[in-house]
Amino acid sequence: MKQGGLVAFPTETVYGLGANALDEYAARKTYAAKGRPSDNPLIVHIADYEDLKKIAVNIPPETDALAAHFWPGPLTMIFEKSDLVPLGTTGGLDTVAVRMPSDPVAAELIRAAGGFVSAPSANTSGRPSPTTAEHVENDLDGKIDMILDSGAVDIGLESTILDMTVTPPMILRPGAVTADMFAEVIGPVDVDETILKPDSSQHPKAPGMKYRHYAPKAQLMIVEGDLREEIFAIRQLAYEAHRREKRIGLIATTETLPFYKYGIVKNIGSRENEKTIARNLYRVLREFDEEDVEVIYSESFAVQGIGKAIMNRLEKAAGHMRIPASEIAAKQKYRRIIFVSGTDSARGPMAAELLRNQDLKQEYVIDSQGMVVLFPEPANQKAEAIMKSFQMTLEKHISQMFDGENIMDDTLVLTIDENQKRKILTDYAQVKNVFTLNEFVQDDTEIPDPYGGPLAAYGECCEVLKKLIERLTDKLNLLAKGEEPQWEKYM
Ligand code: TXA
Ligand code: MG
């Protein structure tokens, strides 16, 4: 580095591409290696607080308190620069961004290199910032002199940038140190309004924030709404993509993972600990670059604490493409279909399995339940034998008692006979959509009860069910057609 070389090194936020900050020529090499526009200033990293006075002037008095609380750590502060710092490092600005990282490897490197190390994130411009040495190698191998590998970083998102040249100071980039944390130390600070709002006519104040960096190869879209709606909308999007044979990715969380069936699903972390989400975000985006997916749908996250930084980076990666979850969620009347029979051992489970095997335009959770289920049992063996002959199976079926208390308005209840319907209507006033299967598909072919009969009786029953389920499919698809979202907008 003393000879003008470039060394990538770990910090607690992301890996940086280090160079001697006082060497204008090294700065030019940094921009070239990253393929980054040279009007985008670099952060100068220091290891000792006294060194700040050598590169910054007119340092405001609150700086001491901020440094005492947050340095070394994920905070960058902007000051008027001294003559020691070349304009090549600051992108021609007369201010300088300064940070003191807490990673001990970083501190040692900075001291060994002379005390002032300029370091942008060590990624190719336009790619997610690197959180491991492998990420750096993938982007910059052959273009830089050395990579110091000390494993995955801790935080995973770049430092908070605080402009100290204005009063009160202003956050130009959100990070692990939040506005609330500043407020506790020096009182309220301002926040650059362009951080989360794309449509503002104003330019962001940190030059780097105007570029669409952190961009994955596939189009990323953020699905926004309350979590229940988000999950539902993403399921529908994934289902539609599956029908169209489009390869898509989903960004999900530990808590929501089980809800997704289609697409390449990646767990970004736990909603209970948003730090894990920050730590994994760039890795997950990079992993999607390796997958052959056209679109990535992501859940959104609360904009509190580090959540603000997570959403800021996610929004940038998405180029601010958002999908209102409610727009998709509101389009579908029925989300769940339950077939209700007597013991939930033959006709109900057969109907459910037949419907699951239909080409449905919308995704439904399809179940069966019984009015008289005393204990959970597998499906009737003759029913199973018949289904097998049609390449279907009731293998996973376990009979379940009808649970009228937990039926919501989005659930369609289809009974096998009139008695079951009547009983539900009398016992559960809140169940809105209950019909006999015959009634719902407007076909009165009687569904025979094969119980106790020979295999052939189950076969005949299945034939009738097949016909009714085909009619049901047509009806559901017709209903769906009138309600279909404009998929093209989202795909
Ligand atoms: O966590 C981090 O800050 C990482 C690690 C390596 O320290 N570094 C990093 O650097 O994120 P970089 O170059 O990828 O982002 C620096 C951001 C850019 O958006 C740049 O425009 C802004 O800081 N910046 C630098 N100097 C500035 C200045 N004088 N005025 C306003 N913005 C500045
Ligand atoms: Mg960067």
Side-chain angles (χ1 to χ4, degrees):
M1 288 168 79
K2 282 179 172 163
Q3 292 163 16
L6 304 183
V7 176
F9 65 100
T11 81
E12 67 279 22
T13 58
V14 297
Y15 272 74
L17 179 56
N20 179 358
L22 309 183
D23 176 354
E24 199 143 14
Y25 177 67
R28 233 178 297 152
K29 279 172 62 179
T30 306
Y31 289 116
K34 276 181 63 83
R36 169 171 173 160
S38 59
D39 68 340
N40 191 355
L42 306 175
I43 296 172
V44 178
H45 295 66
I46 58 174
D48 298 292
Y49 187 47
E50 306 78 69
D51 285 342
L52 175 64
K53 295 178 187 69
K54 297 181 192 152
I55 51 172
V57 296
N58 295 330
I59 298 169
E62 309 86 73
T63 308
D64 282 339
L66 289 172
H69 275 85
F70 305 114
W71 273 2
L75 168 64
T76 295
M77 290 190 270
I78 293 173
F79 306 98
E80 284 176 41
K81 80 173 193 67
S82 80
D83 292 337
L84 193 63
V85 186
L87 287 169
T89 299
T90 64
L93 298 177
D94 47 23
T95 52
V96 61
V98 187
R99 170 157 123 77
M100 192 196 296
S102 65
D103 187 303
V105 176
E108 282 308 305
L109 177 75
I110 293 162
R111 287 194 187 105
F116 304 96
V117 170
S118 62
S121 48
N123 53 293
T124 298
S125 192
R127 298 214 67 205
S129 291
T131 54
T132 65
E134 288 76 42
H135 294 165
V136 180
E137 190 177 26
N138 291 342
D139 281 13
L140 300 178
D141 191 28
K143 298 180 174 161
I144 62 177
D145 299 285
M146 190 183 284
I147 303 172
L148 296 183
D149 182 355
S150 76
V153 301
D154 180 32
I155 295 173
L157 297 178
E158 305 85 342
S159 60
T160 305
I161 300 181
L162 186 66
D163 185 354
M164 298 299 291
T165 68
V166 292
T167 318
M170 183 188 270
I171 296 179
L172 306 188
R173 179 174 75 180
V177 183
T178 63
D180 289 344
M181 292 159 79
F182 288 132
E184 277 182 29
V185 179
I186 56 164
V189 298
D190 280 340
V191 178
D192 182 357
E193 281 310 319
T194 64
I195 283 174
L196 285 175
K197 279 188 241 138
D199 26 33
S200 153
S201 56
Q202 275 179 306
H203 280 301
K205 297 194 171 54
M209 297 297 278
K210 71 173 178 268
Y211 300 104
R212 185 194 167 221
H213 46 178
Y214 324 115
K217 285 181 191 146
Q219 175 61 54
L220 172 65
M221 300 199 200
I222 304 171
V223 180
E224 283 185 329
D226 71 53
L227 187 56
R228 208 182 109 84
E229 276 184 341
E230 278 177 23
I231 295 169
F232 178 74
I234 293 174
R235 282 176 62 120
Q236 291 299 319
L237 288 161
Y239 183 71
E240 182 64 18
H242 170 74
R243 279 170 54 85
R244 295 176 183 220
E245 298 182 359
K246 275 185 94 146
R247 284 174 60 86
I248 57 136
L250 302 184
I251 295 183
T253 49
T254 309
E255 292 79 7
T256 59
L257 215 53
F259 294 106
Y260 303 118
K261 207 158 63 183
Y262 300 107
I264 296 176
V265 189
K266 292 196 190 283
N267 182 358
I268 195 175
S270 166
R271 287 179 173 273
E272 279 180 8
N273 180 1
E274 293 217 313
K275 280 183 184 166
T276 59
I277 296 174
R279 195 176 294 149
N280 293 327
L281 175 62
Y282 288 145
R283 176 180 56 77
V284 165
L285 290 179
R286 277 178 181 263
E287 280 175 15
F288 272 125
D289 280 352
E290 312 285 299
E291 305 273 4
D292 179 23
V293 296
E294 291 178 57
V295 191
I296 306 165
Y297 301 106
S298 176
E299 296 173 2
S300 45
F301 306 98
V303 286
Q304 276 141 28
I306 187 119
K308 187 155 191 165
I310 294 170
M311 282 311 287
N312 167 262
R313 308 308 197 275
L314 206 54
E315 292 268 9
K316 290 169 78 58
H320 301 290
M321 288 284 284
R322 299 177 198 179
I323 299 177
S326 59
E327 212 168 274
I328 292 174
K331 298 264 183 186
Q332 190 170 353
K333 184 167 181 197
Y334 301 124
R335 301 180 186 182
R336 194 169 165 215
I337 299 172
I338 303 180
F339 292 95
V340 176
S341 61
T343 57
D344 190 31
S345 63
R347 291 182 294 177
M350 280 161 98
E353 189 58 18
L354 286 163
L355 186 60
R356 284 187 204 109
N357 280 277
Q358 294 289 323
D359 184 20
L360 293 162
K361 284 203 169 145
Q362 289 176 334
E363 193 187 28
Y364 307 87
V365 176
I366 301 168
D367 280 321
S368 65
Q369 296 181 349
M371 297 306 285
V372 275
V373 178
L374 301 181
F375 42 85
E377 268 187 304
N380 178 292
Q381 288 187 4
K382 288 175 187 162
E384 166 67 348
I386 293 296
M387 293 304 277
K388 278 254 165 72
S389 72
F390 293 116
Q391 275 81 50
M392 286 177 252
T393 178
L394 306 177
E395 218 167 60
K396 290 193 193 129
H397 177 74
I398 298 288
S399 59
Q400 261 191 80
M401 182 70 186
F402 179 68
D403 182 12
E405 304 298 335
N406 288 311
I407 301 286
M408 286 185 286
D409 290 357
D410 64 2
T411 304
L412 174 62
V413 179
L414 296 174
T415 65
I416 297 297
D417 70 30
E418 192 64 41
N419 289 335
Q420 293 141 4
K421 175 183 154 184
R422 224 173 292 129
K423 178 127 180 61
I424 292 172
L425 282 174
T426 14
D427 290 0
Y428 306 100
Q430 86 282 10
V431 179
K432 296 254 161 41
N433 310 299
V434 51
F435 308 89
T436 67
L437 176 56
N438 293 110
E439 169 189 25
F440 193 72
V441 304
Q442 289 166 301
D443 179 325
D444 52 18
T445 318
E446 198 189 322
I447 307 170
D449 185 357
Y451 185 72
L455 191 61
Y458 285 84
E460 275 160 38
C461 169
C462 188
E463 288 298 342
V464 174
L465 283 174
K466 257 178 93 173
K467 188 176 131 209
L468 296 177
I469 294 298
E470 271 157 27
R471 286 184 65 101
L472 175 60
T473 303
D474 290 343
K475 174 155 183 179
L476 290 171
N477 283 348
L478 216 66
L479 280 174
K481 203 167 168 190
E483 300 172 336
E484 248 181 312
Q486 295 173 311
W487 294 117
E488 273 61 34
K489 266 192 351 202
Y490 308 130
M491 302 238 144

